[in-house]
Amino acid sequence: MKLRELEAFDAYMKLGTMKAASEEIGISQPMISRLLNTLEARLGFTLFEKKRNQLKPTPEAHLYHASVMRLISQLRETTQDAAAIANNQLGKIVIASQPTFVDTFLPDAIRSFHEKHPDVGVRVLDVGMQELLRTLDKNFCDVALGITLEAGNYSARVRKLARCEARCIMHRDHPLAKEVKISADMLYDQNFVDLMPDSPLRKRIDEVIQTESKDRRTVAEMGTMRALCALVDRGVGVAIVDPFAELLLEGTSVVSKRLVPRIAWDLVFLTPDGAPVSRISESMFTEIHFQVTRLKGLGILEE
């Protein structure tokens, strides 16, 4: 499809009249009409139905418009990137990261990065593991923060940052709160607050707990560590979380305990395979590495 046709379609869908669409993109009303007719012919399905001398979008038009808006947005971003390069600016860096990192140490790394590179924009894609892997594979990000619970699926350059070990959290008034370590058999018949079933950590928890314990009663499933901690703080149940969750517990009534048998994995820094790693990406790695080293000093992460 030609860009001008898509712009005419987008303008008409948003504004609803030929006159408004014409004024929006600076071409005549007859030209808007011709562009819409040409686009409809290219697509092979009806975009508009004429009612009372006005074109009414079909359901197919609304579906197609969502795709067109995304495409136009990407084209505009590409134009902005080109302008930044032409003006000797450094553009932006795109980071794909799981929500837990976004909620904990990544903002500190971005702050330090911004202080050293004030002309570089930072975009964070807050995604789950499956989308993160797809984003890497398609080169939609410059760098990513992931875990090795699904290491076999990586198609990227991988640099280990730290060793992570799962924790068991519960309300401080929970009967298990007096224990130093929590074993799988202690969790028999407990109410659990869990991550979603497609989470790599959830899959590993299911393997360990179902092997060591007969029953696990899931009373709620949440998409983020922050949400899990909030429910545990309200006494809904116990949860098994990654160690970064400890950074979310300050000011709550939640306590964290070691888990046996251990559930462990690596935190890794990733860059797309086959693409050169820019100096800006290396600078972001430096800031992330600094924050990870700080967390090791706090005992939250291991070497």
Side-chain angles (χ1 to χ4, degrees), residues 41-291:
R42 289 182 192 275
L43 294 172
F45 57 82
T46 303
L47 290 174
F48 301 100
E49 296 175 348
K50 195 166 186 178
K51 294 182 179 179
R52 298 180 181 177
N53 294 322
Q54 189 173 8
L55 296 179
K56 294 294 184 181
T58 63
E60 291 79 8
H62 287 288
L63 288 173
Y64 184 58
H65 186 225
S67 178
V68 168
M69 285 193 294
R70 288 194 297 271
L71 177 58
I72 289 176
S73 176
Q74 291 170 355
L75 289 171
R76 286 171 180 164
E77 288 173 8
T78 300
T79 301
Q80 290 169 359
D81 289 345
I85 293 171
N87 291 324
N88 295 318
Q89 297 176 3
L90 294 175
K92 65 173 180 290
I93 183 170
V94 180
I95 308 169
S97 171
Q98 293 182 267
T100 305
F101 310 144
V102 177
D103 285 342
T104 53
F105 73 94
L106 186 56
D108 288 327
I110 292 173
R111 179 195 60 196
S112 297
F113 176 87
H114 174 69
E115 289 172 354
K116 296 171 184 175
H117 304 279
D119 294 326
V120 180
V122 178
R123 174 178 296 170
V124 176
L125 305 178
D126 184 350
V127 294
M129 274 304 300
Q130 291 299 322
E131 182 63 17
L132 184 146
L133 294 174
R134 190 187 75 84
T135 300
L136 273 171
D137 187 55
K138 299 295 184 182
N139 286 333
F140 290 162
C141 64
D142 300 297
V143 302
L145 285 171
I147 58 177
T148 55
L149 283 171
E150 289 189 351
N153 294 328
Y154 285 146
S155 176
R157 296 188 186 94
V158 181
R159 279 185 269 183
K160 178 182 173 181
L161 288 165
R163 190 69 171 163
C164 303
E165 184 178 329
R167 308 286 201 272
C168 185
I169 60 173
M170 70 280 302
H171 193 277
R172 65 187 176 196
D173 294 332
H174 192 281
L176 293 178
K178 65 181 184 295
E179 303 291 340
V180 176
K181 294 183 178 180
I182 304 297
S183 62
D185 60 336
M186 291 178 184
L187 297 172
Y188 175 78
D189 208 30
Q190 293 292 331
N191 288 336
F192 266 84
V193 181
D194 272 321
L195 293 166
M196 294 298 183
D198 61 349
S199 161
L201 179 55
R202 166 69 183 275
K203 293 174 184 176
R204 185 74 183 105
I205 293 167
D206 286 344
E207 291 173 5
V208 172
I209 301 301
Q210 289 175 10
T211 298
E212 302 290 333
S213 178
K214 294 180 181 178
D215 292 305
R216 186 154 77 93
R217 185 167 57 243
T218 297
V219 297
E221 294 177 323
M222 308 298 284
T224 66
M225 290 292 170
R226 182 178 291 277
L228 288 189
C229 294
L231 285 185
V232 172
D233 189 34
R234 289 160 174 77
V236 175
V238 302
I240 296 176
V241 298
D242 75 32
F244 295 100
E246 294 199 7
L247 297 171
L248 304 172
L249 302 183
E250 185 176 356
T252 73
S253 298
V254 179
V255 294
S256 171
K257 305 289 181 177
R258 294 280 181 176
L259 183 70
V260 288
R262 297 171 74 239
I263 300 176
W265 62 92
D266 289 336
L267 168 68
V268 290
F269 181 87
L270 304 120
T271 51
D273 197 16
V277 181
S278 69
R279 284 180 293 177
I280 292 301
S281 295
E282 286 294 336
S283 181
M284 180 60 74
F285 172 79
T286 299
E287 301 305 331
I288 289 172
H289 187 270
F290 177 83
Q291 294 301 324

Side-chain angles (χ1 to χ4, degrees), residues 12 15-29 32:
Y12 188 86
L15 302 173
T17 68
M18 291 289 183
K19 183 175 185 297
S22 170
E23 293 172 351
E24 174 72 12
I25 61 177
I27 60 177
S28 68
Q29 294 183 47
I32 293 285

